[in-house]
Amino acid sequence: HCCDDDDDGGAGAGGSGTAPTTTASTHRDSTDATARTPVSWPMLLIAVAAAGMVVVMFERRQRQQRDERRARQTAGVGRPAIGGPYTLVTTEGKPITDGAFRGTHQLIYFGFTYCPDICPAELRKMAAVVDKLDADGCTIQPLFISIDPQRDTIAQMKWYCSEFHRRLIGLTGTPEQVARVAKRFRVYSTHTDVENLPDDPAEAERMDPTDRDYLVDHSIIMYLIDPRGDFVQYYGQSKTVDEVAADIADHVRAWRD
């Protein structure tokens, strides 16, 4: 029995001797499990927020660089001060300002509906340029501004513009309004044989057309205006449809980039 007691005791001692080993193993397992625990939600949210800030800062810098490129394109050294704010009248008889065309490139031509040859030829060229740009995915807004408001009434302008292009917008106004916008675009014009013509366009419209027969000598220029309303380029009579369309397409694509 003494030996039995010793064996039991030894067994008991041996059992109690293995206990620290089991505890240490359990502690290591617990430590390893803690090390393998996924990142906490607060840490994940902080990481996402930081990544978002980086993206925002990158996009902001991209916009700044794009705006700087646009500014360089439209505000070159020595670029003439052409264009500016104006108020005219649409072919629907409603007042309109230059602000109505912001957000898109505009191609503007100044002329008069009673022009026998040059204006029709230039407006046909403008229409061909617009169609060519449409096919290339470069949409612009064509505008025809009268420099002969005494004869270019609202009805006359509406009919005349419809003869050239479905999107051509005709603008007229009072003699003072027309003179102001022509001056802003540096358009030269001289009326001949208008001494007996009334200043009021409505009164002039009531006159027989044969009593309003005169010519207007004027600049033959198309003006390209960017979506901010700033002057970009001009095209003289000698420029072909392909040349004008190609140059405008370059400007439109540069604006988008």
Side-chain angles (χ1 to χ4, degrees):
H1 290 290
C2 288
C3 290
D4 291 340
D5 290 340
D6 290 341
D7 289 341
D8 292 340
S16 62
T18 59
T21 302
T22 302
T23 302
S25 175
T26 302
H27 177 69
R28 284 195 302 272
D29 291 343
S30 176
T31 301
D32 293 341
T34 302
R36 293 194 299 270
T37 301
V39 178
S40 65
W41 279 108
M43 293 178 63
L44 183 60
L45 291 175
I46 292 173
V48 171
M53 290 180 63
V54 170
V55 172
V56 169
M57 292 176 64
F58 176 78
E59 292 179 345
R60 182 179 300 172
R61 179 56 183 163
Q62 290 289 92
R63 286 195 300 270
Q64 289 175 347
Q65 292 176 342
R66 185 166 59 248
D67 291 341
E68 289 171 359
R69 288 197 300 270
R70 290 174 179 173
R72 288 194 297 270
Q73 293 161 4
T74 58
V77 176
R79 186 177 295 278
I82 295 177
Y86 59 80
T87 299
L88 292 169
V89 179
T90 69
T91 54
E92 303 302 323
K94 298 179 181 179
I96 193 169
T97 70
D98 56 295
F101 304 108
R102 297 291 169 82
T104 186
H105 283 81
Q106 308 135 53
L107 188 61
I108 303 176
Y109 180 75
F110 289 79
F112 64 112
T113 66
Y114 286 82
C115 179
D117 45 22
I118 294 177
C119 289
E122 289 300 290
L123 289 175
R124 283 193 291 269
K125 181 198 294 184
M126 175 185 277
V129 168
V130 171
D131 286 341
K132 193 172 185 65
L133 290 170
D134 281 348
D136 290 340
C138 298
T139 302
I140 65 170
Q141 176 58 60
L143 300 174
F144 173 59
I145 298 180
S146 170
I147 53 170
D148 185 17
Q150 287 87 351
R151 290 184 298 181
D152 288 344
T153 61
I154 292 171
Q156 174 73 7
M157 288 287 285
K158 187 172 186 177
W159 165 80
Y160 190 74
C161 291
S162 68
E163 292 292 302
F164 295 98
H165 199 277
R166 65 189 183 283
R167 291 214 321 274
L168 178 61
I169 294 179
L171 302 176
T172 186
T174 66
E176 293 75 20
Q177 288 174 324
V178 169
R180 193 174 302 119
V181 67
K183 183 178 180 180
R184 290 190 182 281
F185 280 84
R186 301 188 179 185
V187 174
Y188 162 82
S189 66
T190 300
H191 294 206
T192 61
D193 302 326
V194 294
E195 291 82 3
N196 298 322
L197 190 67
D199 291 333
D200 182 8
E203 186 178 348
E205 185 177 11
R206 290 192 291 269
M207 294 179 61
D208 189 296
T210 59
D211 295 332
R212 297 180 284 170
D213 186 21
Y214 60 87
L215 296 178
V216 182
D217 185 21
H218 64 90
S219 308
I220 308 171
I221 298 289
M222 294 184 195
Y223 301 86
L224 179 64
I225 307 299
D226 72 18
R228 283 196 306 244
D230 295 330
F231 167 74
V232 177
Q233 186 60 278
Y234 69 90
Y235 309 99
Q237 187 180 14
S238 63
K239 292 292 185 180
T240 67
V241 169
D242 289 342
E243 289 172 335
V244 175
D247 189 71
I248 293 177
D250 287 342
H251 286 293
V252 172
R253 293 190 183 104
W255 178 269
R256 291 174 180 173
D257 292 340

